[in-house]
Structures are given as C-alpha cells and as structure tokens.
Amino acid sequence: MAIRVHVDVVSAEEMIFSGETDFAVFPGEAGELGIYPRHTPLLTRIRPGTVRLKVPDKNEYEMVYVSGGMLEVQPALITVLADTAIRAHDLDEAKALEAKRRAEEALRNRKADVGIATAEAELAQAVAQLAAIKKLRARH
C-alpha cells in the first residue's frame, strides 16, 4: 500500500479540495514547495499561484488557484487556508485579463500608497490566475 497524505484546501467560502495525494506542490513565497507524505512539520505563507495535487489513480495533477494564504504541513495532513481558492478549470480568463488590465492602469496612475499596494496585490493575483489557466491548457 502506497503512503499518502491527506490534503485540505479551504477558502473563506468553502472546502475546495479534500482528499489523499501522493505528492503536492505549493506556491511558496521563495519558490515552489514540493511536499511528500511524512514531511517535516511546516507552517508558512504562500503567494498567489497554483497548487498541484497528485491524486492517486489519476495521470494528471488536480490544480487549484489560491490567492495566497497559509500552508500547514504535518506528516499525515496538509492544510491550505486561502482567502480565495478556485479549481483551475473554473477560472475565467476574461475576468483575469480584465483584473490585470485594471491593476496595471491603477499602477500607471499612482495616486496613493494604499492604492498602489492594492493594485500590486490585484496584479499578482491576476497574473497567477492567468498562469494557472496557461498550465491547465498545456495539459490538454
């Protein structure tokens, strides 16, 4: 019997994924984090990006976009808490492109420091969503 780890990906609205995986990849702040079962405990922030989950008996990774959040790793359980989490196949490219355009426009019209920080965060999320869509399309 293969060793697996249980993963829960939770957004503010709902449970997005709950199940067993052989391997998982998370968008860490300093780069991607690959986690296997029995990993050393870890608590870290994650940036906007794609969570990739190797689900048993499937050839392709399950992909979930997260807007950032917290990652907790225990030997038998991985938990992702994100403000926003969307299954990659549910992402809307038109909305992401529009959000990217608005954020870039806000950055060009620098009016307030608070607005700049918000625009930078929105731009990072839009770019991460578009990257998730691109990864999903590359699989097909």
Side-chain angles (χ1 to χ4, degrees):
M1 183 171 160
I3 299 171
R4 300 205 167 106
V5 61
H6 186 87
V7 177
D8 289 329
V9 179
V10 183
S11 76
E13 296 86 28
E14 63 183 316
M15 174 78 73
I16 300 299
F17 178 88
S18 182
E20 299 292 310
T21 63
D22 296 322
F23 176 68
V25 180
F26 302 93
E29 289 192 313
E32 290 191 326
L33 299 166
I35 307 292
Y36 282 100
R38 297 185 181 166
H39 192 281
T40 301
L42 169 71
L43 181 64
T44 188
R45 292 188 319 197
I46 54 175
R47 63 179 165 74
T50 305
V51 172
R52 296 189 320 263
L53 306 166
K54 179 60 182 100
V55 179
D57 303 324
K58 287 191 178 180
N59 291 333
E60 296 181 350
Y61 282 81
E62 177 78 27
M63 295 194 323
V64 177
Y65 163 79
V66 292
S67 63
M70 295 299 296
L71 169 67
E72 179 184 18
V73 177
Q74 294 295 324
L77 175 65
I78 299 171
T79 305
V80 175
L81 302 175
D83 289 334
T84 302
I86 305 167
R87 290 186 184 270
H89 58 58
D90 291 334
L91 288 171
D92 185 333
E93 184 174 18
K95 280 185 180 178
L97 286 169
E98 178 60 21
K100 180 178 182 245
R101 187 198 61 74
R102 283 194 318 268
E104 289 171 339
E105 181 68 26
L107 288 173
R108 280 192 294 274
N109 298 331
R110 297 176 180 248
K111 293 184 180 175
D113 289 338
V114 174
I116 291 170
T118 301
E120 287 175 344
E122 289 173 357
L123 180 59
Q125 290 182 23
V127 168
Q129 285 186 20
L130 291 168
I133 291 167
K134 185 177 178 180
K135 284 180 185 175
L136 185 62
R137 284 191 179 149
R139 291 189 340 189
H140 299 292

